[in-house]
Amino acid sequence: VILATQNIFGSLKVVDPETILQVVELRAADPALSQADALAQVNGELPEGTEPLHKKHVQAIYALYFNQYE
């Protein structure tokens, strides 16, 4: 997921594995859940001071775990 979201300058944004698991669990529980809704729900539940999940991360999670591309 991290490598799939590398930016043009090569820097990577680390994402906590627990956050990835949250997205996977949300999507598994609700197959109709959109990427935008998953992003909003997970970021809304993150503790204060935690790096927020980015749209690219959610796109990579949906592609890698659910073979869904948008």
Side-chain angles (χ1 to χ4, degrees):
V1 171
I2 295 169
L3 290 176
T5 60
Q6 184 176 13
N7 72 15
I8 193 167
F9 300 109
S11 65
L12 301 170
K13 294 187 185 231
V14 178
V15 60
D16 182 19
E18 291 296 320
T19 305
I20 294 172
L21 185 58
Q22 277 184 291
V23 175
V24 172
E25 288 173 348
L26 283 171
R27 172 57 172 70
D30 182 5
L33 185 68
S34 72
Q35 292 181 16
D37 289 340
L39 178 66
Q41 284 185 28
V42 170
N43 281 340
E45 296 174 3
L46 289 176
E48 193 170 321
T50 305
E51 182 72 26
L53 193 63
H54 295 277
K55 181 179 176 182
K56 286 183 173 184
H57 289 137
V58 176
Q59 289 173 337
I61 293 167
Y62 269 59
L64 294 171
Y65 283 87
F66 303 106
N67 200 30
Q68 181 179 352
Y69 302 91
E70 281 188 21

